[in-house]
Amino acid sequence: MSYQKNQFFTLLTYIVLLSLGTILSLLKITGSPYFIALTIGSIVAAGLMIYLVKLSGPNDLEEKTTLNHDLQWIIVGTVGAIALQYLIGFADQLIFHSTSSANTMSLLLMVKAYPYYFIYVMIAAPIMEEIIFRRVFFANLVKPTNIYIAAIISAFLFAFMHQDTRFLVYVAMGLWFSFIYTKSENIYVSAGSHIVMNAFVLTMAIM
């Protein structure tokens, strides 16, 4: 499989998963069966995307890294993401009088009602988002543009996909994870940071 086809099927997998909710709704599947299907779908999609990453091999931004290197950057990525989220969130609320993140509140309610859904929210979703927005969009936009424009475009796509009231927070997160991906040279480092950050934010919201 060529690299271009690999990227196409990676993106297609993500689009199919995003369409799954609509398909289930059209079939009038709701409640627990709906969320079970979404959770299973996310596990399958994330697994397939990880397989496609392995199949494609490293791109121009990636290198073989050590576990110690990866853990150090996951810590940096997590701490930076949490600090940046609260800082930009505070500024956004102060300047634009934005409300609490509708996306976070919605996910929190779903996880409370269907605890197994955390697999999608806290694990599968961050992995898929990093592969799509950092490895597919950002990495492939670097050559035809430059690293800064690529980061901005991918960050805005990332923020737009979340359809949240705190748009600037998601743009900042997109830029930060592009930075972590570039510096760590490993997509699973930015994914790891994203997973831990999501877990922290949702845990704090529950408390």
Side-chain angles (χ1 to χ4, degrees), residues 85-155:
Q85 182 168 108
Y86 281 102
L87 180 64
I88 301 297
F90 177 75
D92 188 39
Q93 190 173 20
L94 191 67
I95 298 170
F96 300 104
H97 307 290
S98 63
T99 57
S100 299
S101 171
N103 183 59
T104 301
M105 292 301 103
S106 175
L107 291 174
L108 182 60
L109 290 173
M110 292 176 193
V111 170
K112 278 186 174 181
Y114 309 99
Y116 51 81
Y117 193 58
F118 88 92
I119 296 172
Y120 188 158
V121 175
M122 294 189 190
I123 302 172
I127 291 172
M128 292 186 290
E129 287 173 2
E130 290 309 305
I131 290 173
I132 291 298
F133 294 100
R134 257 55 77 183
R135 198 173 197 270
V136 173
F137 287 122
F138 170 64
N140 285 303
L141 285 169
V142 170
K143 276 190 176 180
T145 58
N146 60 55
I147 198 166
Y148 304 106
I149 293 175
I152 291 169
I153 293 173
S154 63

Side-chain angles (χ1 to χ4, degrees), residues 134-200:
R134 257 55 77 183
R135 198 173 197 270
V136 173
F137 287 122
F138 170 64
N140 285 303
L141 285 169
V142 170
K143 276 190 176 180
T145 58
N146 60 55
I147 198 166
Y148 304 106
I149 293 175
I152 291 169
I153 293 173
S154 63
F156 270 82
L157 289 171
F158 175 70
F160 179 77
M161 188 277 292
H162 283 84
Q163 294 290 297
D164 194 79
T165 49
R166 293 198 164 183
F167 187 81
L168 290 180
V169 172
Y170 283 95
V171 170
M173 289 298 98
L175 292 171
W176 175 252
F177 287 127
S178 289
F179 169 77
I180 294 299
Y181 173 43
T182 304
K183 290 297 182 181
S184 69
E185 302 177 307
N186 188 333
I187 191 62
Y188 297 116
V189 168
S190 59
S193 300
H194 198 155
I195 288 170
V196 180
M197 182 204 73
N198 274 16
F200 176 84

